[in-house]
């Protein structure tokens, strides 16, 4: 086992990082304008991507519901309801764990029927874990 040095500021207070170090954070963005499932963040071999923040912006005149999944065609792990021309964000104090390493995170309009002209863009922040 390797020894790891603690970090301290200039007055001796120990520094802790709430989620992960910088190189183990991933950002993602995707837009959906249909009922099709769209990849938000592609999977990486042997890595879990745990969700810590997501924001979705509805650029249409219709209310929509967006499902967020931690695997393609999987069960929705989070759902965001967006009013017409609105933006909603969620910060998770405890990260939402990804179920299987290397899977993609996706978004999908959970509505039914005509979605023409309904564009929703979601951005997200993830931490990488092995």
């Amino acid at each position: 086992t390797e020894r790891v040095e603690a970090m301290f500021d200039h007055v001796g207070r120990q520094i802790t990082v709430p989620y992960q170090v910088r190189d183990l954070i991933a950002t993602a963005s995707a837009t959906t304008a249909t009922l099709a499932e769209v990849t938000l963040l592609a999977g990486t071999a042997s890595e879990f991507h745990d969700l810590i923040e997501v924001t979705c912006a509805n650029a249409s005149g219709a209310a929509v519901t967006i499902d967020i999944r931690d695997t393609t065609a999987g069960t929705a792990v989070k759902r965001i309801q967006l009013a017409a021309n609105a933006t909603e964000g969620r910060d998770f104090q405890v990260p939402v764990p990804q179920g299987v390493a290397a899977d993609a995170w996706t978004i999908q309009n959970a509505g039914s029927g005509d979605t023409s002209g309904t564009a929703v863009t979601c951005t997200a922040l993830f931490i990488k874990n092995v």
Side-chain angles (χ1 to χ4, degrees):
T1 305
E2 286 186 37
R3 181 178 175 186
V4 177
E5 297 292 329
M7 291 189 318
F8 299 92
D9 69 8
H10 69 282
V11 294
R13 297 175 292 203
Q14 187 170 10
I15 298 171
T16 60
V17 179
Y19 294 115
Q20 198 56 283
V21 294
R22 182 181 178 95
D23 59 336
L24 294 177
I25 294 175
T27 60
S29 180
T31 300
T32 179
T34 67
L35 295 177
E37 189 171 16
V38 176
T39 299
L40 178 60
L41 180 70
T44 304
S46 302
E47 278 185 346
F48 290 96
H49 293 104
D50 298 335
L51 179 65
I52 58 174
E53 186 273 333
V54 63
T55 300
C56 294
N58 181 5
S60 76
V64 296
T65 300
I66 296 294
D67 283 345
I68 301 168
R69 296 184 176 91
D70 67 346
T71 186
T72 302
T75 303
V77 295
K78 293 293 174 190
R79 178 171 270 193
I80 297 180
Q81 296 179 330
L82 294 157
N85 299 302
T87 299
E88 291 288 332
R90 303 284 187 278
D91 292 310
F92 306 106
Q93 208 170 26
V94 175
V96 178
Q98 186 173 31
V100 176
D103 278 356
W105 282 83
T106 66
I107 59 171
Q108 185 174 19
N109 185 333
S112 61
D114 183 16
T115 59
S116 58
T118 304
V120 176
T121 300
C122 295
T123 58
L125 190 61
F126 299 87
I127 57 171
K128 300 176 188 179
N129 286 301
V130 291

